[in-house]
Amino acid sequence: MSESPFDILILGGGPGGYATALYARNFGLSVALVEEERPGGTCLLRGCIPAKQWLQVAEVFSTVKNADAFGVLTSEPELDWSAALARKDRVVNQLVTGLSGLLRKRGVEVVPGRGRLSGPGRIVVEGGGTLEGRTVVVATGSHARTIPGWEIDGERIVTSDHAVDWSSRPDRVAIIGGGVIGCEFASLLVDLGAEVSVFELEKQLIPGGDADASRQLQRQLGRRGVKFYLKTGVGPAEVTDRGVKVSFRDKVLEADVALVAVGRGPNTDGIGLETVRAEVEQGYIKVDPVTMETAEPGVYAVGDIVAGTPQLAHAAFAEGIAVATYIATGEPAPVDYRAIPRVTYTHPEVAEVGISAADAQAMGMEVQVTKHPFGGVGRALIIGQSQGMVKVVAEKDGPLVGAAVVGPQAGEMIHELMFAVGWEALPEEAATFIHAHPTLSEAVGETLLSATGRSLH
């Protein structure tokens, strides 16, 4: 370990922490990263990567099961859950090993152990002494929340942390929360043959997202067998020898397991924030939105612990880049949150960028909304996934301010619209570019053409 103070001390090795570390090395800054687990954080170890691996298993299983629609005759597929779980572990381990090697190769000093702040420029590591640095970046991530009456036991009542490691598929699952995590697990579980019920307190799935996109997703998941109870609260859980009883609207639903997916809370308790002047609001750290610096000079925060920013791994990457750039150069490099894509990896996928029409109107904008369905897109018909739409929102006589895609590969397609929103392109400008035929992205081109008032198909 270096005896001289580091340029940057980082508390937490998730996406925000390791992105800060790696990008800071581009400027030749000395970096120490303190992490009590393996590098990668929730995203790599228990979140984004393992969940998406299970979603891929579900997609492959569903494709094989419905292969006869393409004239490919197969026997009824069977899922080897143990093999699928082992593949998830291999993917995670490969990425963790790669990240650890990259940090080592780039000269980041990774310090194992639980750390906490001990004043500006200092982190105390349990059993590992004290680190000193010119600056500190707090990147301790988040944890799965629960609600009163729903004590997480890891067996009958679980969070996504436990669900990615299920040793077998539960037959009946009650999902409490219809946000991104709840919808993703509903999608993969129903495709793998489970009975799934989703309870959501708000009036739509993915609260705060595009209403049309939410309805499309609900319709398609409903056709596959997911039962939805929107605008519905649940009473305290009753755990029995056989499972969990969920009470709602004077009714009771029995499930083998309940997955609580009501969002994530910041990991800021017990990390020593009281030793610095950082301001905390409901557990989240307030920062300067341009520099990511807290009220304590030289102490920064990135990722899920930051107040008012999206809890997304790629948002944390961007914040880490912004912090490293500012510390190294003194020049602000603020994150453009308007252009950060948001993807729900269900089947079909839902992707959004910018603001919705409802939010734009609430801000006083006069907007023009244009939609185009996948039903007439040749490539979508070829692959048998022609349900869904592309939707763009433009300020009247002005630039594109938001977009949503519901359908196959929406998470990939949204990036074209990310550029359009980020660069404040006019519909007339974005519509001049030609899309290859036949592709799914033609739906984007068709939507943009229609937004100019001169559609093609």
Side-chain angles (χ1 to χ4, degrees), residues 29-189:
L29 301 180
S30 57
V31 181
L33 184 152
V34 180
E35 171 55 52
E36 62 178 320
E37 293 188 277
R38 297 180 294 171
T42 294
C43 176
L44 182 47
L45 302 177
R46 295 177 295 278
C48 315
I49 298 301
K52 276 54 178 183
Q53 176 59 55
W54 277 115
L55 282 156
Q56 183 63 30
V57 169
E59 181 178 340
V60 172
F61 184 83
S62 179
T63 298
V64 175
K65 185 176 180 179
N66 296 291
D68 60 336
F70 295 86
V72 179
L73 303 181
T74 63
S75 58
E76 186 70 17
E78 296 182 10
L79 177 62
D80 184 336
W81 191 277
S82 296
L85 179 61
R87 178 177 174 82
K88 184 272 294 183
D89 290 337
R90 285 196 304 274
V91 169
V92 169
N93 289 333
Q94 181 177 342
L95 288 170
V96 169
T97 300
L99 174 59
S100 299
L102 180 60
L103 289 165
R104 184 171 55 252
K105 181 179 179 181
R106 297 283 287 276
V108 176
E109 185 150 347
V110 177
V111 181
R114 183 174 181 81
R116 66 187 305 276
L117 296 172
S118 180
R122 288 194 303 278
I123 293 178
V124 175
V125 183
E126 290 183 2
T130 300
L131 298 170
E132 295 190 357
R134 185 165 59 87
T135 59
V136 174
V137 178
V138 184
T140 46
S142 62
H143 61 272
R145 291 186 185 274
T146 188
I147 53 178
W150 290 79
E151 182 177 350
I152 306 300
D153 59 21
E155 295 183 7
R156 294 300 188 186
I157 303 177
V158 305
T159 68
S160 57
D161 291 354
H162 309 97
V164 295
D165 284 323
W166 273 327
S167 59
S168 61
R169 189 211 69 194
D171 291 330
R172 301 172 301 168
V173 182
I175 299 178
I176 313 303
V180 171
I181 295 172
C183 286
E184 288 184 350
F185 275 93
S187 179
L188 75 88
L189 286 166

